[in-house]
Amino acid sequence: MKAPTIIVCIKNIPDPEGPKEAYEIHGDINKVVVVGIPPVINPYDENALELAIRLKERFGGKVIALNMAGKAVKPVLKKALSVGADELILLEDPAFKDLGSYSTAEVLSAAIRKIGSFDLILTGRQAADWDSGQVGLLMGEMLKIPGIALVQKAEMEDGMVTVEKLKRNGHERVRAPMPVLLTVSSEVGDLRFPTLTAIKAALKKPVEVWNASDLGLEAGILKTKAIRAVIPPPSNERQCLYMEGATSQEKGENLAVKLRRDNVI
């Protein structure tokens, strides 16, 4: 089997481990503004990057990390180079800000066509900011290649990829001809830690930057538009009711009766 080319789509998002107080709703501009939280690579995309590097270690080839943003955060995204990606391509243009899932998939697909030959495209199962889980399979449809979601393992052999795809109760094995797109789940495992030497080397590696014009997308990119962003008013009707009973079992029974009377259960 020839050495494969693997493209991994990565997105930078506010750190999902940040406190909820850092998210401010600005109704005047209909946006949720994040204050004081550093950006990170989407954790699910890190799972995809880890799978790509494992496949590269077994089968050779190269890994290309691809990011799209209105303004790229290079220091964060260079983490991909420090853990084993060979190239980092940034799609950076003000026109790429606030895109919906469909338009995001269009931009990434245009970049992949510009890259040319590839064997695998890996994405995270979803982004941890919006949790839409749509971009990956939309790209598969736009590029007219098979798309398999929720992958936890993958093998390549003789132009085919065999994966374990998560199901509600277990998993199923699926085979598809390459090129193919996989959305990768967290069951793959966490991204490895880079060494200090690799981090220093990544800082010196060149990064390719493409804008909308480079992709032939000067016009027609559809953006999302928030209709309204509001802070829910505090409820003045909240009441606290303590369940009475001589034992825990009696208190539980009284609670069940109360919930049934209130049509909660």
Side-chain angles (χ1 to χ4, degrees), residues 31-232:
K31 284 185 179 293
V32 177
V33 178
V34 183
V35 180
I37 297 182
V40 297
I41 296 177
N42 174 40
Y44 293 112
D45 294 343
E46 288 195 343
N47 301 140
L49 184 56
E50 174 62 26
L51 179 57
I53 296 167
R54 291 179 194 173
L55 292 172
K56 172 189 166 183
E57 289 173 342
R58 289 194 59 190
F59 303 102
K62 67 178 179 179
V63 173
I64 302 173
L66 183 64
N67 168 266
M68 185 211 76
K71 184 172 179 57
V73 187
K74 291 182 183 179
V76 173
L77 297 169
K78 279 202 168 186
K79 180 180 180 180
L81 295 173
S82 68
V83 296
D86 300 283
E87 299 177 25
L88 175 60
I89 300 175
L90 304 180
L91 312 179
E92 183 178 10
D93 196 295
F96 298 157
K97 186 178 180 181
D98 298 328
L99 298 188
S101 297
Y102 188 88
S103 292
T104 297
E106 279 190 313
V107 174
L108 291 171
S109 297
I112 290 169
R113 293 189 191 99
K114 182 176 174 66
I115 291 171
S117 177
F118 62 91
D119 299 283
L120 280 180
I121 301 173
L122 304 184
T123 75
R125 62 180 289 174
Q126 62 202 71
D129 52 358
W130 287 99
D131 283 331
S132 298
Q134 298 174 333
V135 172
L137 295 182
L138 282 169
M139 290 168 57
E141 181 68 20
M142 292 174 182
L143 295 167
K144 302 188 184 305
I145 60 175
I148 306 174
L150 304 178
V151 170
Q152 64 176 357
K153 290 183 181 178
E155 297 286 341
M156 295 186 291
E157 184 179 6
D158 298 329
M160 302 287 291
V161 62
T162 303
V163 306
E164 288 186 5
K165 169 184 165 60
L166 289 174
K167 301 289 286 185
R168 186 176 296 274
N169 297 307
H171 68 267
E172 65 179 353
R173 290 177 64 83
V174 179
R175 281 171 59 84
M178 295 189 287
V180 62
L181 182 144
L182 311 178
T183 76
V184 179
S185 191
S186 55
E187 284 74 10
V188 161
D190 294 335
L191 181 63
R192 64 196 63 194
F193 289 103
T195 65
L196 182 58
T197 301
I199 293 173
K200 290 181 177 179
L203 294 175
K204 299 176 182 177
K205 287 185 178 180
V207 175
E208 196 157 3
V209 181
W210 297 341
N211 59 27
S213 179
D214 295 325
L215 302 178
L217 298 172
E218 296 91 335
I221 302 176
L222 299 178
K223 294 179 176 289
T224 58
K225 183 177 180 180
I227 303 300
R228 190 181 180 197
V230 298
I231 301 175

